[in-house]
Amino acid sequence: MSQRPAQSTALIVIAVCAAVWFLQTASHVMAPLLLALVVGVVTAPVGDLIEKIGLRRSVSAFVVLFSALTAVVLLGLLLVPVITDAVEMAPRIKWELRKFISTLQPAIESVTDMQESIEDSLSPGSDPVAKATDAPSLTDAIWLAPGFFAQVMIFAGSLYFFLLSRNDLYRIIARNTSRVSEEVLCAAERDVSRYFLTITAINAAFGLIIGLVMATLGMPNPFLWGVGAFLVNYLLYLGPIAFAVTLLFAGFVTFEGAWSFLPAALYLSLNATEGQFVTPSLVGRHMSINPLAVFVSLIFWLWLWGPVGGVIAIPVLVWGLNLREAHTGPEPESDTKIRSVAAG
């Protein structure tokens, strides 16, 4: 009898490892598929609203699909200037960093000498100059294009058919399991959609404020900085930290002396205000969750699928916890808000 718990635990561990291996191996199929399901859950109320106007469900599903693809294309067009500017500013950023590090040279000279001696002892006669990485060629782009468009088609088809038949899918799941009912699935869908749409509105306002602040400071391309702040705010903790580091580099290029730290400092201050006061008051107590669970979910999905995993990490976590809460009751009062300042 004592061996049964150990055997059950071993089977669960094996099943989890097999599932992770499958998700990673089939990422080219599963990533766009799960992303489509998350987008479908988030945009489901929009489809329901279109149906209430009098249009058929097939039409509402197509409208939501077209809107989602249009948003992705517009986002890509907005990011092109950001990437171009980053490539153009890279040499200047490198020069500014060298200038800044040179002021600290006496303090780190001994550490550098020690590092060089260790490298020489580990790999004598090796070339210390790092090899340059070749930029992707047109042939590489042509080679990758079919796989990219295949993933787009998987996303589009999955999103459309999920929106078209999600109620039937919920009924099938409810009929084949005794723990989840159709009402529970619909309630989890509403909670995820409400959370994501609320966070989107908050992030949009936050991005607008950051754009205005950057314009006031005289930062180049303030509109694009606002768009960047809007996007990275979906990646809790990690996104704001990465964006603050980027602003720090841009500050070195744009300003001199202590003013170089001002853009990053103002961004972190506004992010702390948003994370500690604005979002908790608007999202509400029903969306509370342990911050460790948020961080682990982000790390896991980012490791598994990269940026796509970062997008779906929190909605999947909220959806799963809402299903669990339907059976175990509400979260304990000691849990903290799902949103928090990046440094917290």
Side-chain angles (χ1 to χ4, degrees):
M1 295 296 293
S2 61
Q3 293 182 352
R4 286 188 177 181
Q7 292 175 351
S8 300
T9 302
L11 289 175
I12 292 174
V13 171
I14 293 173
V16 169
C17 292
V20 172
W21 173 83
F22 172 75
L23 290 175
Q24 192 172 40
T25 304
S27 60
H28 296 294
V29 175
M30 296 303 299
L33 176 61
L34 188 55
L35 179 62
L37 296 180
V38 169
V39 174
V41 168
V42 170
T43 57
V46 179
D48 293 338
L49 182 61
I50 295 175
E51 286 185 51
K52 291 180 180 179
I53 299 175
L55 298 177
R56 299 178 60 181
R57 175 163 295 184
S58 58
V59 177
S60 67
F62 178 79
V63 171
V64 173
L65 172 62
F66 179 79
S67 301
L69 293 178
T70 301
V72 171
V73 172
L74 291 177
L75 178 61
L77 294 176
L78 288 174
L79 290 179
V80 168
V82 177
I83 298 173
T84 303
D85 290 343
V87 172
E88 292 177 351
M89 287 193 304
R92 187 177 176 185
I93 293 174
K94 185 178 180 181
W95 181 84
E96 291 286 346
L97 288 176
R98 284 182 176 179
K99 180 181 176 182
F100 176 74
I101 293 174
S102 65
T103 61
L104 306 175
Q105 190 66 30
I108 64 174
E109 189 174 8
S110 59
V111 178
T112 304
D113 293 339
M114 183 182 298
Q115 179 183 356
E116 290 178 353
S117 63
I118 293 174
E119 290 177 354
D120 292 338
S121 63
L122 293 177
S123 55
S126 62
D127 187 6
V129 180
K131 295 182 180 179
T133 303
D134 295 332
S137 62
L138 179 61
T139 304
D140 297 332
I142 295 174
W143 180 261
L144 295 174
F148 172 76
F149 285 113
Q151 293 184 34
V152 172
M153 293 303 298
I154 293 173
F155 170 80
S158 302
L159 177 58
Y160 177 78
F161 288 112
F162 174 77
L163 293 172
L164 191 65
S165 59
R166 76 179 198 279
N167 291 333
D168 296 332
L169 179 62
Y170 291 163
R171 280 193 289 269
I172 292 174
I173 295 175
R175 282 200 301 264
N176 288 274
T177 178
S178 58
R179 300 190 60 185
V180 179
S181 64
E182 185 177 353
E183 291 75 14
V184 169
L185 291 171
C186 291
E189 177 188 88
R190 288 192 299 271
D191 286 339
V192 172
S193 179
R194 180 169 58 248
Y195 163 77
F196 199 85
L197 293 177
T198 303
I199 291 301
T200 299
I202 294 172
N203 291 350
F206 181 71
L208 177 61
I209 293 173
I210 293 298
L212 293 175
V213 170
M214 295 301 126
T216 304
L217 293 177
M219 288 285 288
N221 300 321
F223 171 76
L224 297 180
W225 286 114
V227 173
F230 164 74
L231 294 176
V232 301
N233 226 33
Y234 286 105
L235 299 177
L236 306 185
Y237 308 111
L238 303 178
I241 292 175
F243 195 73
V245 172
T246 305
L247 276 175
L248 185 61
F249 288 157
F252 279 123
V253 175
T254 307
F255 304 108
E256 296 289 341
W259 288 97
S260 302
F261 298 92
L262 187 58
L266 287 176
Y267 169 76
L268 288 176
S269 300
L270 292 171
N271 180 264
T273 303
E274 176 266 324
Q276 294 288 353
F277 301 104
V278 178
T279 299
S281 63
L282 294 179
V283 171
R285 178 71 194 128
H286 64 282
M287 284 295 180
S288 62
I289 187 173
N290 192 292
L292 179 61
V294 176
F295 186 75
V296 171
S297 178
L298 278 172
I299 293 297
F300 172 76
W301 288 105
L302 283 170
W303 165 76
L304 193 66
W305 288 342
V308 174
V311 172
I312 69 174
I314 305 305
V316 168
L317 182 64
V318 173
W319 184 80
L321 290 179
N322 269 272
L323 293 182
R324 183 180 68 85
E325 188 175 336
H327 300 283
T328 61
E331 296 285 339
E333 289 296 323
S334 60
D335 282 355
T336 55
K337 305 299 180 194
I338 189 171
R339 300 283 294 184
S340 176
V341 62

